[in-house]
Structures are given as structure tokens and as C-alpha cells.
């Protein structure tokens, strides 16, 4: 059989394969076989052993595999030559060679090749031969190891059980078998998916029993149970027994049989002192006491472990972590101080691990945070981190405390966060590399104290941060503190400092504005946004769109009284930037851009209304003009937008005229021209807001704007002098024919036309007559409007006589008034206006009487008396008036009366107006 056939990995035959095949033919001679057995074979073996033991020839796995092949070649050669009967223990020697070759393969992890060697060797020895039992025991133990490595624990246990008779012959055999059981038990304990039929505890128990047998081979007394009593001390077996007990305790610990763990440990400790105790004993004892809930005993075991010189620092730290996980943060300080005394070289690393365990131990309460703060601030703990060799550990400790502090900061536990951040600075060196980290700590401490309203303390920390690393973050925190302290002047100064920082970022001006608004510091907020607005350019990236800055700035200004000028300034800027950049580029596109544009348009409209209400007409007119521009910048095809443009233009001119009247300052030619242009533009849009059917209510918004457009147009035409009178008259006629016309509007137009340096009498007469006619034609005539129109028309008739008669036009007005009041219910006609009609008509007779014009006097007195009979509040005077009238008739004789009741005036007012008379 060739060595290459033992493993499928060796596809190519080894270099000596051909030689072995040739030798197999040459060794048929028995005499040659004998020579090979005692000569070349052992020599070949010895040469291989010498070569393997040579340090100069040591190599990697590939070289060791070649050595193993050569080792195996020797017994293969001897086996091919045959085993002569005359050589003492020849078969055992060959089996031994195969056994050692298999061990070499087993060390290389080639279980298949190792098993092949062991299987070839096993038939060569017999249990019957005393001299072969040792070799056979070693083969069985090696085969059990190979089976265990292959994962076949059941076969391994079977081979160990098969070896018990062989091991019983000598204490050394029992010891070897015990070691085998222990080894297989360790593998079973470590296996993740072991055979449930094979229990590690059974294997460890078997190993302990064999140790007992080996210690007293001739004793026939019952074996001492593994958990009870101490076994007799045997120097060669004491270490093996302790190892068995350790692994048995470990198995019980994994099974959570804490009492079983403690029994094993008591048995193990009974035969040795602390200086001989394996460190794992203390760890398992501590864990067992923790599992059983006895923290006091667990604490003692931890102290015993740290007193054990054999325990490594890493093991002590791991045990401390396990203890703290159960004991909680309260025990951390004591444990860490003990570790500081125990761990000389790795004390800093140990402290980091303990603190991390406390932090990760669950729960982020304030109590745990305080325990951590006290723990890391102990001088003995801080001293562990001294020296350049602990730079990494210092950084790690700082990071742990920083992260813990930031967690509490996010939870708004600012007091706890500040405490942890301040303690973390104990682990930040003062070298140049740590400058930025120290500055960060100072700034976070400042923020925590700002949140706690410890403003003076916060200012101290931010000043320290500024000394370490001056930057815009520190400057902004100073602004924030001064704002919260109500020190606006200092906040202004710090804002200027912030703007001058090398790392200045415009976003901090936005933050300053927000902070100032929250602190109700109007001046600082406006100043920050104003400065931010000055930084906008086409190239510079900014934290927010320019339109948003303008909107926020105007919104701030609108909250304060007397800021119309500033609001107007920034609204003009918005209009100018819209014209320079385009609507979408400035306001934005889509829904967002539309909302921004709507905001500015509505703001301008509302500011116009507010300024007008406060009689700040100069501001109001321009605000309405801006509103028209913003509304017209939106969807031009939208009727709603066009109607708003129309209304804004009309309102702008209306406010201009109100300002002229309030300030008693005539409009300039340019203002008149601009007003005419705006009204002309609005006139083109009037059909959008004009009603399609007559509307009686004079409160309708559309009616009001159509009337305002007519009224304003009339006013501006009046600024052009007399040649504009025909246009004014036509303008009023057009309005009177519209469906939006109301009697009240016509009354106002008539009164306006009759006033001024250049009154338009024709327009006034037309307006007042149209007012009366329109009012009488309505379903519910407004007699107050009618009475006012009659009074104005009567006065107007007394100022001018267009057909040469001095009183006919005025008399026609009173005659129409008489026709209106006849038949009215009591109280329908205004009392004061009725009294005026009666008194005026009666008094109109005074002048004719003085001029001895009896007929004219009788006519007016008769009109006054007739009106008095039909108007409320004149009954008491009718008798005296009647007496006076009769006396006049007697004095004047039988001259016919031109104004008898039978000759009543015509229903309508006709003819021209009279010359001015005294009333």
C-alpha cells in the first residue's frame, strides 16, 4: 500500500512511491526481510526522527507533512518486508512506528491519515501479550483522540471503555486512560453540537475514578465519590485530579448547578494552598456564588482571585466585569480601586473595561451616572492614566464619559450631562493635539448650564473655550447667553465679533435671529437678519433663500408699531429682486414659490389697509401699489389675480387722494400722471369685478371699487382744469348707467362736484337728480339720501340760474320735495330735513316781501305751509304760519295768487337753475 493512497488530497504520488513499489518485489526473500527489520527500517526511522528534531529543518505545515510522509514510509517499508517470527517484539515495533506516524498526522489535523496509521498498527499487537498491552493502550487512546477530533464522540468513548482492562494492569496505564477521558471530556464540553448520549460530566467522573484507582491500586475499598472527600495525595496524579475537578466544575457551571460547582471547588481546595490554586477556580467560585445570589461570598472570591499571584491581569478584569454586571454600579468604586492596586502594567486598560461595564450594565438613570462620575474622579483611578504609554486608554475613557454625557444631554438631564462631561476632562491632556477636544468640552458645559439657566457659569465656560479655541461657535454662545440675560448691547457687540470670526458662517446669523426671537429681543433679531440680507449675492451659498430672510424680517417688523417705513423698504427690495432675478428664481417654483409670492402680496395689501386706517396715507398708497405689482406677477390669466390687481390699483389712488386732503398738499404732476395711469390700468380690469345684475346693497365690495374708480377718476380730472368738465360729466353718466351705481354714490359724486375752486355744476346737478330718481325707483327708498340730495340740489339751484329766472329752479326742487312727502308715513322722512324744507321755503318769502313782491312771497309762504302740513314735527307751527299767510293776503288785496293749491307744480324738476338768492 502506498502512502499517497491514505489521503485523497495527495493526488500526485510521493517521490519515494516508486522506490517502495520496487522494494516490494525485492523483499520476498525471508533473509532480506530479517535484515530490513533490524537494519534499514530502524535506521530510516531514526533518520526521520533526527531530521524532525533538527531546528534547522523546522518548517511550516507543508514541510511537516513531508516529514510525516517520510515517517510513515518506515513502517510501510517494514510492513512490506514482512515481520519475521524470530525477531523479538518485531510486530510491536512496527505498530509503534505506525502509532508515532499517526500522531504526527494528528498534530497536522489530518484525522483520516492518522486513523489509517492507527488501524494498520492495531492488528499487529494483541491484548493477550503482556508486552503488547502498553502499545495497544496507546493505540486505543490515539484512536479515541482521532475519533473525537472527527466529531464522533460515541466512538471515542467506546475506545476508551475498551481500554479499561488494559489500563488496570498498572498505575501509569490508569493515569494515561484518565488523561484520555479528560481530553475527550474537554472536547465534548467545548463542542457546540455534541452527542446527547455522551455527557462531559460522565467523562470527567471516569477520569477522577481512574485517578483514585491509580492512587491506591491494591485497595478494595469503595471509591470516593467525586464530589465528596479528598483523595489520597499522589504527586503524579494530584495535578490531573485538580484539572478534572476544574473541568467538572466548569461543566456544572454551564449546567447552572451552582452547588455542584462549589462542591468540586471545595474538594479541589482541600489538597492545596492559595499559592497553588489555579486562577480559574476563583472565577468559577465567584460565578457560582453570583448564580446562587450570595453576593457577599462572590465578593470574597473576587478578593481571593486578585490575591492569587497566578491570576493574570486580564483574568482579574474579566472577573471584575462579571461581578459588576451582577452587583451594580455601587460596587464599582471598590472593585476599581482593587484593580488599580492589582494591575500594575495594565491598570488604565482595566479601569476602562470596568467603567465600560458599568456604563453598559443597563439602565441610564441618574444614580448610575453619579456612580460613574465618582468612580472616574477618584485620584487613584486618574493616576492610572498618567504617562505617555496610556494615551490610547485616556482617549477611550474620555470617549466613554463623553458618550454617556451626550446621552443624558439628549435626555435633557443637563445637570448630569454637565457632571459627566466635566469629569471626562480629567482624561484630556493639555497638549496641542487635545486643544479641540478641550474646547468641545467647555462648549458643551456652557450649553448645559445655559439649559439650566446658570448663565454666569455658562459664560465662564464659553470664555474658557474661546481662550482654547476661538471660533464662531463660542461667539454665538456668548450672543445666546447675553440674549437670555437680557443684555442686548452686549449681544450686539458679540454679534459683530461673530461676524468677524475667521470661520464665520452665515447660518449663525439665522440662529442668532431665532434665539433673539425666542428671547423677544426685537432689535437683535432684526439686526441679524438685516446683516444676513446684505450677504446675498449670486455666487455665495447661503443657509436659506433670500426671500425667506425678507419674509422673516418683515414679519418681525410688522409686530412692532411705527415700522411701516422699514417694512416698505424691504418690500421694495423684494419687488426689485423679483424684477432682477425673475419671479421663480426669487420666490421659488411650484407651490412653495406661489406661497411666498402670495405672502408678499397679501402682506402689502394688509399693510396698506393698516396704514390707511392709521391715516398714514403716504405709506398706504405705496403698499397698495406694491400689492398690485405682486398680484400681477402671479398667473396673469387667473381672473382672481387680475381682480386683486384692479382693487389694489384703485386703493392706491384712493389713498393718494386721501393723503392730499389730509396733508393739504396738492399732488405733483408726476403723482397725478401716475394716478391716471393706474386708474387707466384698473379700468381695463373693471369688468372682472363689475356685477352682472343690479345690486341694491351699497355694501357690496364690487360696487365700492367701481364707485371708487369713478370717484378717483373724477378727482384726477378735476386737477386738469375747466376743460375736463365734459369728461367729468360723461364719467358720472357712465357710472349712473352701471349696475353697480347706488343713490349714496351719486349723492357723494354730486356733493363733490359742487365743491372746490372749480365746481362742475352740470355734473353736480346731474348726480343729485340721478340720485333722487334712482332712490325713488328702488323697492325701499332711502329717504335720508333723498332728503340730503334735495337739500343739496335746492342749494345748488339758489347759486345759479341757467334760464334767467331767479327762483324757478329752486321752487321746482321744493315742489318735487312736496310731491315726495305727500302720502308718506309718519317718521319716514327725516324730521330735521323736513324742518329744513319748511323753514327754507318759508324764509324764501322774506326777500320778496322786502322788495314788495307780494306774489312771489305768497308763493313761497304757501309752499312752506303746504310742506308743514305733511311733515312730522311742524304741527305746532302750522297755526301761526296760517295766520301770517292770511294776514299777507289781506294786506296784498285780491291779487291772484300765482302759487294756489290748484296750480300745483309739475312732478319733475325742469328748466334752468336760478340766480343766487339770500336764504
Amino acid at each position: 500500500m502506498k502512502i499517497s493512497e491514505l489521503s485523497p488530497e495527495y493526488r500526485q504520488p510521493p517521490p519515494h512511491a516508486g522506490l517502495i513499489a520496487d522494494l516490494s518485489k525485492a523483499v520476498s526473500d525471508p533473509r532480506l526481510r530479517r535484515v530490513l527489520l533490524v537494519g534499514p527500517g530502524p535506521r530510516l526511522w531514526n533518520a526521520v526522527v533526527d531530521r524532525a528534531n533538527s531546528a534547522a529543518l523546522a518548517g511550516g505545515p507543508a514541510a511537516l507533512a513531508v516529514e510525516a510522509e517520510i515517517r510513515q514510509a518506515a513502517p510501510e517499508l517494514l510492513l512490506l518486508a514482512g515481520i519475521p517470527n524470530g525477531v523479538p517484539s518485531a510486530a510491536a515495533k512496527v505498530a509503534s512506528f505506525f502509532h508515532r506516524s499517526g500522531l504526527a498526522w494528528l498534530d497536522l489535523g489530518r484525522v483520516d491519515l492518522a486513523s489509517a496509521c492507527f488501524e494498520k498498527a492495531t492488528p499487529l499487537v494483541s491484548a493477550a501479550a503482556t508486552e503488547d498491552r502498553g502499545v495497544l493502550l496507546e493505540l486505543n487512546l490515539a484512536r479515541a483522540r482521532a475519533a473525537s477530533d472527527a466529531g464522533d464522540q460515541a466512538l471515542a468513548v467506546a475506545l476508551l471503555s475498551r481500554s479499561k482492562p488494559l489500563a488496570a494492569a498498572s498505575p501509569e496505564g490508569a493515569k494515561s486512560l484518565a488523561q484520555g477521558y479528560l481530553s475527550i471530556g474537554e472536547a465534548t464540553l467545548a463542542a457546540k453540537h455534541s452527542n446527547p448520549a455522551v455527557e462531559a460530566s460522565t467523562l470527567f467522573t471516569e477520569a477522577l475514578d481512574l485517578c483514585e484507582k491509580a492512587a491506591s491500586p491494591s485497595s478494595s475499598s469503595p471509591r470516593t465519590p467525586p464530589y465528596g472527600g479528598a483523595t489520597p495525595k499522589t504527586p503524579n496524579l494530584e495535578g490531573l485530579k485538580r484539572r478534572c475537578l476544574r473541568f467538572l466544575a466548569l461543566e456544572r457551571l454551564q449546567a447552572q448547578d451552582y452547588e455542584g460547582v462549589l462542591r468540586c471547588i471545595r474538594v479541589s481546595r482541600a489538597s492545596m494552598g492559595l499559592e497553588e490554586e489555579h486562577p480559574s477556580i476563583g472565577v468559577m467560585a465567584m460565578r457560582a456564588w453570583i448564580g446562587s445570589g450570595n453576593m457577599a461570598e462572590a465578593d470574597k472570591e473576587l478578593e481571593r482571585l486578585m490575591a492569587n499571584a497566578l491570576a493574570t491581569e486580564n483574568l482579574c478584569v474579566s472577573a471584575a466585569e462579571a461581578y459588576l454586571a451582577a452587583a451594580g454600579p455601587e460596587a464599582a468604586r471598590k472593585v476599581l480601586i482593587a484593580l488599580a492596586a492589582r494591575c500594575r502594567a495594565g491598570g488604565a486598560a482595566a479601569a476602562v473595561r470596568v467603567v465600560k461595564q458599568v456604563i453598559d450594565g443597563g439602565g441610564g438613570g441618574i444614580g448610575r451616572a453619579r456612580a460613574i462620575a465618582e468612580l472616574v474622579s477618584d485620584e487613584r483611578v486618574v493616576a492610572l492614566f498618567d504617562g505617555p504609554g496610556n494615551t490610547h486608554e485616556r482617549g477611550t475613557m474620555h470617549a466613554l464619559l463623553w458618550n454617556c454625557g451626550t446621552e443624558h444631554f439628549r435626555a435633557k438631564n443637563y445637570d448630569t450631562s454637565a457632571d459627566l462631561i466635566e469629569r471626562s476632562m480629567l482624561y484630556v491632556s493639555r497638549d496641542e493635539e487635545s486643544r479641540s477636544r478641550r474646547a468641545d468640552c467647555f462648549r458643551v458645559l456652557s450649553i448645559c448650564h445655559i439649559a439650566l439657566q446658570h448663565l454666569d457659569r455658562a459664560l465662564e465656560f464659553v470664555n474658557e473655550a474661546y481662550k482654547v479655541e476661538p471660533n464662531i461657535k463660542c461667539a454665538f454662545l456668548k450672543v445666546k447667553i447675553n440674549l437670555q440675560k437680557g443684555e442686548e448691547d452686549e449681544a450686539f457687540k458679540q454679534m459683530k465679533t461673530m461676524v468677524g470670526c475667521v470661520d464665520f458662517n452665515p447660518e449663525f446669523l439665522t440662529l442668532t435671529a431665532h434665539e433673539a426671537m425666542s428671547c423677544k429681543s426685537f432689535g437683535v433679531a432684526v439686526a441679524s437678519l438685516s446683516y444676513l440680507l446684505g450677504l446675498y449675492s449670486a455666487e455665495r451659498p447661503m443657509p436659506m433663500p433670500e426671500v425667506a430672510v425678507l419674509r422673516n424680517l418683515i414679519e418681525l417688523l410688522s409686530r412692532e408699531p411705527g415700522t411701516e417705513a422699514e417694512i416698505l423698504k424691504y418690500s421694495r427690495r423684494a419687488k426689485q429682486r423679483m424684477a432682477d432675478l425673475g419671479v421663480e428664481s426669487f420666490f421659488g417654483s411650484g407651490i412653495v414659490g406661489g406661497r411666498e409670492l402670495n405672502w408678499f402680496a397679501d402682506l402689502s395689501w394688509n399693510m396698506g389697509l393698516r396704514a390707511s386706517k392709521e391715516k398714514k396715507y403716504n405709506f398706504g398708497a405705496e403698499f397698495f401699489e406694491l400689492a398690485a405689482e405682486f398680484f400681477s406677477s402671479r398667473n396673469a390669466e387667473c381672473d382672481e389675480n387680475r381682480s386683486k390687481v384692479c382693487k389694489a390699483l384703485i386703493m392706491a389712488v384712493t389713498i393718494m387722494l386721501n393723503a392730499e386732503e389730509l396733508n393739504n398738499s396738492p399732488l405733483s404732476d408726476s403723482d397725478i400722471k401716475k394716478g391716471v395711469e393706474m386708474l387707466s390700468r384698473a379700468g381695463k380690469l373693471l369688468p372682472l369685478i363689475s356685477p352682472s345684475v343690479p345690486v341694491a346693497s351699497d355694501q357690496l365690495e364690487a360696487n365700492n371699487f367701481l364707485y371708487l374708480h369713478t370717484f378717483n377718476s373724477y378727482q384726477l380730472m378735476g386737477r386738469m382744469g375747466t376743460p375736463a368738465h365734459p369728461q367729468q360729466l360723461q364719467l358720472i353718466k357712465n357710472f349712473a348707467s352701471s349696475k353697480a351705481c347706488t343713490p349714496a354714490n351719486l349723492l357723494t359724486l354730486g356733493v363733490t362736484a359742487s365743491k372746490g375752486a372749480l365746481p362742475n355744476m352740470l355734473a353736480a346737478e346731474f348726480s343729485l337728480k340721478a340720485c333722487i330718481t334712482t332712490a325713488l325707483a328702488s323697492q325701499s327708498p332711502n329717504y335720508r339720501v333723498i332728503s340730503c340730495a334735495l337739500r343739496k340740489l335746492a342749494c345748488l339751484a339758489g347759486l345759479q340760474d341757467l334760464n334767467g329766472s331767479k327762483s324757478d329752479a329752486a321752487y321746482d326742487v321744493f315742489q318735487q320735495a312736496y310731491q315726495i312727502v305727500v302720502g308718506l308715513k309718519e317718521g319716514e322722512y327725516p324730521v330735521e330735513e323736513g324742518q329744513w324744507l319748511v323753514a327754507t321755503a318759508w324764509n324764501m318769502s322774506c326777500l320778496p316781501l322786502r322788495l314788495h313782491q307780494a306774489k312771489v312771497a305768497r308763493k313761497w309762504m304757501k309752499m312752506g305751509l303746504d310742506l308743514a302740513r305733511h311733515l312730522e314735527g311742524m304741527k305746532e307751527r302750522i297755526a301761526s304760519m296760517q295766520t301770517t299767510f292770511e294776514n299777507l293776503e289781506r294786506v296784498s288785496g285780491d291779487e291772484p295768487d300765482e302759487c294756489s293749491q290748484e296750480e300745483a307744480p309739475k312732478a319733475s324738476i325742469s328748466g334752468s337753475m336760478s340766480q343766487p338768492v339770500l336764504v
Side-chain angles (χ1 to χ4, degrees), residues 829-860:
Y829 198 89
V831 175
E832 65 276 9
E833 291 295 333
Q835 291 174 350
W836 183 89
L837 283 174
V838 173
T840 302
W842 185 265
N843 293 335
M844 287 289 286
S845 65
C846 294
L847 183 61
L849 284 176
R850 290 180 182 180
L851 297 176
H852 304 286
Q853 297 176 355
K855 295 180 181 180
V856 176
R858 282 199 304 271
K859 179 178 66 175
W860 282 110

Side-chain angles (χ1 to χ4, degrees), residues 615 848 905:
K615 296 186 178 181

Side-chain angles (χ1 to χ4, degrees), residues 571-769:
S571 298
R572 288 173 186 158
R573 169 165 179 148
K575 172 192 170 185
Q576 186 60 45
R577 296 293 286 171
M578 176 183 70
D580 295 341
L581 302 177
V583 176
E584 289 195 357
S585 298
F586 179 67
F587 289 109
S589 59
I591 298 176
V592 175
R595 288 175 180 170
E596 291 286 4
L597 181 55
N598 288 344
W599 189 90
F600 277 90
D602 293 337
L603 179 277
S604 300
W605 176 272
N606 293 333
M607 285 301 301
L609 292 176
R610 190 173 91 175
S612 302
K613 183 178 180 181
E614 296 173 0
K615 296 186 178 181
K616 298 177 181 179
Y617 295 124
N618 291 333
F619 294 131
E622 192 162 356
F623 275 122
F624 280 118
E625 188 177 350
L626 287 171
E629 293 298 325
F630 287 127
F631 282 128
S632 64
S633 298
R634 295 190 294 183
N635 185 3
E637 302 300 325
C638 178
D639 289 343
E640 181 182 359
N641 292 343
R642 295 166 67 188
S643 66
K644 289 181 179 179
V645 172
C646 177
K647 294 174 184 178
L649 291 171
I650 294 173
M651 288 298 296
V653 179
T654 302
I655 303 304
M656 285 174 59
L657 294 172
N658 290 343
E660 179 189 42
E661 182 179 355
L662 179 67
N663 301 330
N664 196 21
S665 174
L667 292 175
S668 64
D669 292 341
S670 60
D671 288 339
I672 294 174
K673 181 179 179 182
K674 183 170 71 172
V676 171
E677 291 175 353
M678 286 192 288
L679 289 176
S680 175
R681 183 180 167 193
K684 298 176 182 178
L685 302 173
L686 275 176
L688 296 174
I689 63 174
S690 299
S692 57
V693 295
V695 179
S697 175
D698 57 359
Q699 301 299 318
L700 186 66
E701 184 182 24
N703 286 2
N704 293 337
F705 280 101
L706 185 59
Y707 159 70
L708 285 175
H709 181 271
T710 303
F711 182 83
N712 294 337
S713 299
Y714 182 92
Q715 292 278 68
L716 291 180
M717 288 179 181
R719 305 300 189 276
M720 300 177 184
T722 306
H725 282 187
Q727 290 91 333
Q728 289 177 317
L729 179 58
Q730 187 60 44
L731 179 69
I732 294 177
K733 288 181 178 180
N734 293 338
F735 175 71
S737 63
S738 69
K739 296 180 175 60
C741 176
T742 64
N745 296 151
L746 291 170
L747 174 61
T748 305
L749 288 171
V751 173
T752 302
S754 65
K755 292 180 179 180
L758 295 173
N760 191 336
M761 296 302 180
L762 291 176
E765 181 185 11
F766 176 83
S767 299
L768 294 173
K769 289 181 178 180

Side-chain angles (χ1 to χ4, degrees), residues 289-310:
W289 286 119
I290 291 174
S292 60
N294 194 333
M295 297 306 300
E297 291 297 328
D299 182 48
K300 293 179 182 179
E301 289 295 343
L302 181 60
E303 292 180 359
R304 181 185 178 100
L305 175 65
M306 291 189 181
N308 190 340
L310 298 177

Side-chain angles (χ1 to χ4, degrees), residues 818 821-824 826 834 837-838 842 861-886 889 899-901:
Y818 173 78
V821 299
V822 172
L824 287 181
E826 185 176 352
L837 283 174
V838 173
W842 185 265
M861 292 179 69
K862 184 67 168 65
M863 175 58 69
L865 185 59
D866 290 342
L867 287 170
R869 292 191 180 103
H870 295 281
L871 289 171
E872 184 181 1
M874 302 301 296
K875 294 180 180 180
E876 296 177 356
R877 298 183 182 182
I878 293 176
S880 61
M881 293 173 66
Q882 181 68 37
T883 302
T884 303
F885 178 72
E886 291 175 354
E889 285 186 332
C899 192
S900 64
Q901 185 65 32

Side-chain angles (χ1 to χ4, degrees), residues 198-491:
V198 180
E199 296 182 352
S201 60
T202 303
L203 298 175
F204 295 139
T205 303
E206 289 287 348
L208 282 172
D209 288 343
L210 288 168
C211 288
E212 293 289 344
K213 289 181 180 180
S216 55
S218 59
S219 177
S220 59
S221 60
R223 296 196 306 269
T224 304
Y227 297 126
T231 58
K233 294 184 178 179
T234 303
N236 294 333
L237 295 175
E238 200 63 36
L240 182 61
K241 287 174 59 180
R242 293 171 184 170
R243 188 177 172 192
C244 291
L245 286 169
R246 286 202 309 274
F247 278 99
L248 185 57
L250 178 61
E251 188 275 334
R252 290 290 84 199
L253 186 64
Q254 291 183 356
Q256 299 184 357
D257 179 11
Y258 303 118
E259 187 59 33
V261 175
L262 295 173
R263 285 199 298 268
C264 290
I265 291 173
R266 281 194 291 267
V267 172
S268 178
R269 285 177 172 174
S271 60
M272 61 181 173
L274 177 61
E275 66 281 356
E276 298 176 323
E277 182 176 294
H278 193 278
S280 64
I281 294 294
V283 175
M284 289 188 291
M286 183 196 73
R287 289 183 177 274
W289 286 119
I290 291 174
S292 60
N294 194 333
M295 297 306 300
E297 291 297 328
D299 182 48
K300 293 179 182 179
E301 289 295 343
L302 181 60
E303 292 180 359
R304 181 185 178 100
L305 175 65
M306 291 189 181
N308 190 340
L310 298 177
T312 63
E313 292 183 359
N314 187 57
L315 182 64
C316 292
V317 175
S318 298
E321 290 176 328
Y323 174 76
L324 290 175
E330 294 78 12
R333 186 171 186 178
K334 176 183 176 182
V335 172
L336 188 52
I337 298 304
L339 282 175
R342 176 66 170 79
C343 303
R344 300 297 180 185
V352 169
R353 290 177 61 179
V354 170
V355 172
K356 188 175 186 303
Q357 175 60 46
V358 176
I359 293 174
D360 297 341
I366 296 177
R368 182 178 293 271
R370 289 175 180 169
I372 294 170
E374 294 177 1
L375 180 65
V376 299
S377 58
D378 191 284
E379 295 179 355
R380 291 165 289 184
V381 177
V382 176
L384 295 174
F385 293 82
D386 292 340
N390 294 317
T391 302
H392 175 71
E393 285 73 17
R394 276 198 304 273
T396 305
M397 179 65 83
H398 170 75
L400 286 173
L401 297 173
W402 174 273
N403 293 336
C404 189
T406 52
E407 287 181 7
H408 283 278
F409 183 89
R410 285 191 286 268
K412 298 184 178 181
N413 299 327
Y414 300 113
D415 197 3
T416 304
S417 176
D419 192 19
L420 290 168
I421 296 297
E422 193 167 357
R423 305 301 173 95
S424 75
M425 295 188 70
L426 296 171
Y427 300 91
V428 179
S429 60
R430 293 183 174 270
D431 54 14
E432 189 66 25
E433 295 180 357
S434 302
R435 177 183 293 272
S436 179
R437 187 179 298 178
R438 289 174 57 219
D440 288 342
C441 291
F442 281 127
R443 283 195 296 270
V444 173
L445 285 170
S446 178
I447 294 172
C448 289
H449 286 286
I450 289 173
L452 294 169
Q453 288 298 297
H454 303 158
L455 299 179
D456 293 333
R457 185 71 171 148
L459 189 58
E460 292 177 9
F461 279 118
V462 76
N463 285 334
E464 289 298 322
Y466 194 80
K467 292 177 185 177
V468 176
E469 189 181 42
N471 56 25
I472 192 172
K473 296 177 183 177
C474 297
F476 170 71
L477 286 178
K478 289 183 180 182
V479 174
K480 184 180 181 75
I481 293 169
N482 288 321
L483 285 171
Q484 294 198 12
K485 292 175 72 174
E487 299 175 355
E488 286 197 6
D489 293 339
E490 286 298 321

